[in-house]
Amino acid sequence: MPKIKTNSGAKKRFTLTGSGKIKRKHAFKSHILTKKTKKQKRNLTHFSVVDVADLNNVRKMLVMK
């Protein structure tokens, strides 16, 4: 049986924390930043944890059990 490959897009977007949670970056921080407020851009800078509803899908893409 062949090895299961990790989704290459997912491995660039998600990282594991020490406690096993999955970190992600916020969306809407890459372009068209002129119309967004300083506060909005600053708050989008921080990392957040993947939601429980999406956790199984992200784990499958990262080939985790």
Side-chain angles (χ1 to χ4, degrees):
M1 194 161 162
K3 292 181 180 178
I4 300 170
K5 291 188 177 180
T6 300
N7 183 302
S8 60
K11 72 183 173 190
K12 295 169 191 171
R13 288 175 170 83
F14 300 106
T15 53
L16 275 174
T17 62
S19 61
K21 295 177 184 174
I22 302 173
K23 284 197 306 187
R24 66 172 180 85
K25 287 181 85 171
H26 283 278
F28 310 112
K29 184 75 198 307
S30 58
H31 60 99
I32 315 176
L33 298 172
T34 51
K35 61 178 78 170
K36 294 173 184 135
T37 62
K38 289 177 187 175
K39 182 179 180 181
Q40 190 177 3
K41 289 184 275 193
R42 185 173 62 244
N43 289 335
L44 290 172
T45 300
H46 308 297
F47 281 88
S48 66
V49 178
V50 171
D51 195 64
V52 179
D54 302 320
L55 202 56
N56 284 337
N57 289 332
V58 174
R59 283 184 184 278
K60 283 177 189 171
M61 286 192 284
L62 295 172
V63 189
M64 298 169 54
K65 293 188 179 185

